[in-house]
Amino acid sequence: MSNQHAPQIDEPNDEPNDNLNKLGHDVSEWQALSPWSMLSFSFGTAKAILSNGYALIPIFYAGWQNGFNLQMGLIALVIAIFLLAAFSFIQWRKYRFQLSGEQLNIKRGLFFTRKDEIPLNKIQNIRYAQPFYFKLLNLGTLIIETAGSKDDEAHLAALDAQQANLLKQQLLQLTLQQTSVDDTQQPAVNKPIVERNLKQLIQFGFYQNNFIWFAVIAGPIMGQIEWEKLAEFPVVQQFWSIIVSYSGQSITLQIVGILITLFFVYCLFSLISIAAAVLKYYPYKLEKHQQTLQRSGGVISHQQDALAIRRVQLLHCSQPFLAKLLGLWTVYFKQVKGQEVEQKTKEHMLLPSIKTAEIDDILLQIPELAGSTNSLPSQYQPIAWAWFLRRGFVMFIPAIAILLFDGITPLSEATLFIATAIMGLTFLRYKQWGYVIENEVVWQHTGLFGQSWKRIPFEKIQHISITQTKSQKQKGYAYIELGLASGSIILPYINEKDALFIAEKAMKTTKQDYNNWI
């Protein structure tokens, strides 16, 4: 690469150029962040407060209903803004970072100084984010995450965009050198893996809508609504008359009408989910840069996430009910438990609106992922029928007891209805439980109305637990738990021979090379 051009983050050079040398010299001493970082600290703190304060919504609503003092509210707002500004100022004044040798050092804290020493070979993700308030200033934030940490280890805010890119390149280069000498000698290949357009992101927002969680949060507020008065509204009465006119006296048709109405409400709330998906991911692009996966996108806040491929523990293909109707999947690259690329969402780096055929192509383009299988299984071995027998009829015990003691009453009928519904859901879940054993991976299949595949490479398994009750042992069944750095995978009531084969295969694979765990 010519020395006249600034090095690109995703095209590491064989020899460091002047800019990288200058950057390494600059950050070898303790560095302070730009004063503009106070903006990032302020918005970040406010976002954390608001995102974790949803449980207070019913309290504020009840207070509003009982009367609101505007003067006290303004005073409280001014005090909150002052405290937020003071906290951000202290964070900026006490925050220092330094790149020393093969580790990144971070110092922060007012009364108690905290120092983090982050070895470069432990870095799992590096994210470059450029919020809307930094775009005009050409500033950005580097967020550095390590394996197993619940919080961001380093949050370097308000860096010059070029400096942030150079620092990110240096961290990635050193990390790759720690991984393999051969990898650094290979030429850089920038290969787009997935690109999602506006239509595909709209589909993702539609089927990924968390309307149920909104209903749970809104429950206390809805409990305070006077439904009798609401039913008197002309719009509600007119809507109900339309349903009655089409359904007549048929209760079944009326229920269908209500279900259609609920689906319409779901679509309305999906607009929020769709807007969030578009603003966060558009235009979505996932690329492979040597041994890292890099995702970019975002309308208001542009983000670039980098994930070391060797940190991926398993591939999770999720297909909710609506996605199943659309023939789409959401694919997650699951990492070490407690660390997420999708910041503060408990979700891993995801690929939205993926077709089944695209999954095969994605796996072919990332051969570094453990395991040689490059397609989803077409069928699976179901777990034993005994799993359903032990769970499906449990709820009928209290229902039958109430029926025997009280006879046919509204309570016994309701209990029987609930027991039947639970048994039906348990049966649906049982039908989705299964597994597939292949040469280098084992697949777990689960679901209820949708479905999910998890692809577990044998070489990523850290520990195995096999348990058997006396009844299971007599019938040749076993309960196996596969422990990975990303969490545990359960295969209940599988054939005992299959469980022993999985255990022996995994232990033999990791015995040959245990470095692939993390």
Side-chain angles (χ1 to χ4, degrees), residues 82-93:
F82 174 78
L83 292 176
L84 185 63
F87 177 72
S88 301
F89 177 78
I90 293 172
Q91 281 187 298
W92 165 65
R93 289 291 297 174

Side-chain angles (χ1 to χ4, degrees), residues 10 29 36 54 56 93 237 294 319 343 355 370 444:
D10 44 348
E29 303 294 335
W36 289 108
Y54 57 83
L56 298 176
R93 289 291 297 174
Q237 292 180 349
Q294 296 195 22
Q319 191 176 53
Q343 190 180 18
K355 295 181 179 179
Q444 178 209 53

Side-chain angles (χ1 to χ4, degrees), residues 220-284:
I221 297 177
M222 296 178 67
Q224 299 186 36
I225 297 176
E226 297 181 6
W227 295 100
E228 295 82 2
K229 292 184 178 180
L230 184 63
E232 297 175 358
F233 285 178
V235 176
V236 176
Q237 292 180 349
Q238 184 178 2
F239 176 76
W240 179 250
S241 64
I242 293 174
I243 293 180
V244 173
S245 64
Y246 281 99
S247 63
Q249 299 301 319
S250 173
I251 298 178
T252 302
L253 292 178
Q254 291 179 6
I255 292 175
V256 171
I258 293 173
L259 292 176
I260 293 175
T261 303
L262 291 176
F263 179 74
F264 177 73
V265 173
Y266 176 91
C267 293
L268 288 179
F269 281 103
S270 291
L271 295 177
I272 301 174
S273 178
I274 290 170
V278 172
L279 291 176
K280 182 173 183 179
Y281 295 113
Y282 183 79
Y284 183 99

Side-chain angles (χ1 to χ4, degrees), residues 14-28:
D14 294 332
E15 297 181 1
N17 58 23
D18 293 340
N19 287 332
L20 279 177
N21 286 330
K22 183 178 183 300
L23 174 65
H25 175 73
D26 288 343
V27 295
S28 62

